[in-house]
Amino acid sequence: MPARADTRNISLKQMRAFVAVARAGSFTRAAAQLFITQSALSSLIRNLEGELELRLLDRTTRRLELTEGGRELLVSLEQLLADLDRITSDLREVKEIRRGRVRIGATPLLAASVLPVAIQAFGLRYPGITVRALDASAPELIESLRAGELDLMLATLDGEHPELRAQVLLSDTMVLVCPCSHRFAQQPEVAWSEALAEPMIAMRKGSGLRAIVDHALVDLGGTARPVQEVNHVATAIAMVGAGLGVAILPAYAVRFNTVGEVCGVPLAAPTLSRHVSLATLRQRTPAAAALAMQEHLMEFVKGLHSM
C-alpha cells in the first residue's frame, strides 16, 4: 500500500498559487495577478505537487491542462479559500466593530432604568452588534461573569473582588421619592426627620439599597418603620405613585421612571450616594464589541450628568 502524502507542510501561498494558475490557464498571467515572478510561481506549484506526491498540471508548449487530480483539488481549494476569505472578512468586521455580540448583565434597577436607554443608543451607533442583557442580583451576575456567560456587568459591588476589573460608572444620590402632588415635592430638600415621619415604602432587608438606608439611620439614631417592604424598585415607585407612602431610592430610579408621576427630592445631610461599577473578568481579554460597549457606557453616563 503506497505511503500517504503528508499535507501538513502545504502552505496557503501554494494553494493560492495553484488556484491562480488553474483559473488563468497560464503561469505568466497567474504570476502577474499574484505579483510574483514566474519562476517563484513555478517553484510553488512544483513544491505543492511534491508534498501531495501528485501531478496537478500537464504542461505543453501550447497550453496548460489540469490533471484529474488537479481538477478535484481545484474544486476543494476554491471552496476552502472562499471559506477562509469569508472567515477573515468576518473577523475583520468583528475587529472593526461592524459585527459581534455583547452580553451585559445589570442589577434589576439598572436593567430597568439606565440599561434600556443605553442599549438603544448603542444600537444606533453600532447596528451590527447584537446585545444580550441579563437582569439579576450582583452575586448572580458575578457568577455568570466567571462562567463566561457575560462579557461585562453593571452593579453596586460590596466587598473585595480581586478577580474583577471594575471602574465606578456613576455615583448616584439617594433621594426621597414622593408623589409630585405631595408637599415635599415643592421643597428644595427634605429633612430625615420629616421623611421618617411619613409612611415608608422600603426595600426588603437584605437588599443593597436597604442596607444603605439602614446604615444612615443608625448614624442618625433613627429606625425605618415601613408600611410596606418590597423586592423591586419598580414596585416601590408604583406604591409611591399610588399614594401609599414615600421611599428612599437612587435618583436615576426616578429619572427613568415610567410607572407613575413621582418626584425625587434631595435629603438633607447626611447625603447618601451609591456607586455603580462597570466590571469585567480580569483574566479574560474583552472582545472589540465589549470594549466598544464599555466606552459607550462611560460616554452615555457622562451625557446623563450633563442633562
Side-chain angles (χ1 to χ4, degrees), residues 220-263:
L220 290 167
T223 56
R225 297 183 178 85
V227 295
Q228 297 287 347
E229 292 181 301
V230 300
N231 288 316
H232 302 291
V233 171
T235 306
I237 290 177
M239 288 187 171
V240 170
L244 300 180
V246 299
I248 299 175
L249 298 171
Y252 62 77
V254 180
R255 176 180 293 173
F256 292 96
N257 168 58
T258 58
V259 177
E261 291 191 2
V262 299
C263 297

Side-chain angles (χ1 to χ4, degrees), residues 95-305:
K95 180 181 178 182
E96 295 173 357
I97 324 176
R98 295 202 302 267
R99 289 182 56 183
R101 177 190 66 174
V102 181
R103 300 162 302 171
I104 182 169
T107 46
L109 175 55
L110 290 163
S113 56
V114 176
L115 198 57
V117 186
I119 290 177
Q120 181 191 40
F122 184 81
L124 295 174
R125 188 174 182 180
Y126 300 105
I129 305 297
T130 300
V131 180
R132 293 285 181 263
L134 170 68
D135 56 338
S137 67
E140 290 173 318
L141 294 176
I142 292 172
E143 285 306 311
S144 294
L145 204 60
R146 288 172 178 158
E149 298 165 356
L150 289 177
D151 299 303
L152 59 158
M153 60 173 277
L154 291 175
T156 297
L157 298 176
D158 299 318
E160 297 294 323
H161 299 281
E163 76 277 29
L164 301 183
R165 181 183 290 108
Q167 56 184 325
V168 173
L169 184 67
L170 62 91
S171 296
D172 202 43
T173 304
M174 304 287 284
V175 297
L176 183 78
V177 182
C178 63
C180 292
S181 58
H182 197 285
R183 68 183 188 283
F184 287 164
Q186 309 306 317
Q187 298 179 195
E189 63 179 20
V190 178
W192 279 86
S193 57
E194 291 182 287
L196 295 176
E198 294 289 311
M200 185 67 63
I201 311 297
M203 303 306 296
R204 199 171 298 280
K205 281 188 175 294
S207 77
L209 292 176
R210 177 65 178 269
I212 292 173
V213 175
D214 284 352
H215 181 74
L217 292 178
V218 169
D219 293 341
L220 290 167
T223 56
R225 297 183 178 85
V227 295
Q228 297 287 347
E229 292 181 301
V230 300
N231 288 316
H232 302 291
V233 171
T235 306
I237 290 177
M239 288 187 171
V240 170
L244 300 180
V246 299
I248 299 175
L249 298 171
Y252 62 77
V254 180
R255 176 180 293 173
F256 292 96
N257 168 58
T258 58
V259 177
E261 291 191 2
V262 299
C263 297
V265 185
L267 287 158
T271 300
L272 303 184
S273 295
R274 110 169 170 150
H275 305 297
V276 175
S277 294
L278 176 62
T280 59
L281 200 63
R282 190 177 293 277
Q283 66 184 29
R284 187 176 298 128
T285 302
L291 287 173
M293 176 60 87
Q294 290 182 55
E295 293 175 3
H296 170 74
L297 285 170
M298 296 299 290
E299 292 175 8
F300 180 78
V301 169
K302 284 181 183 177
L304 291 181
H305 290 310

Side-chain angles (χ1 to χ4, degrees), residues 31-60:
Q33 292 169 5
L34 296 174
F35 301 101
I36 60 176
T37 64
Q38 189 169 332
S39 60
L41 178 58
S42 296
S43 178
L44 287 170
I45 300 299
R46 188 166 53 251
N47 290 339
L48 175 61
E49 290 178 323
E51 294 293 346
L52 292 173
E53 299 178 3
L54 180 69
R55 191 167 186 81
L56 302 173
L57 298 164
D58 283 331
R59 307 162 180 82
T60 69

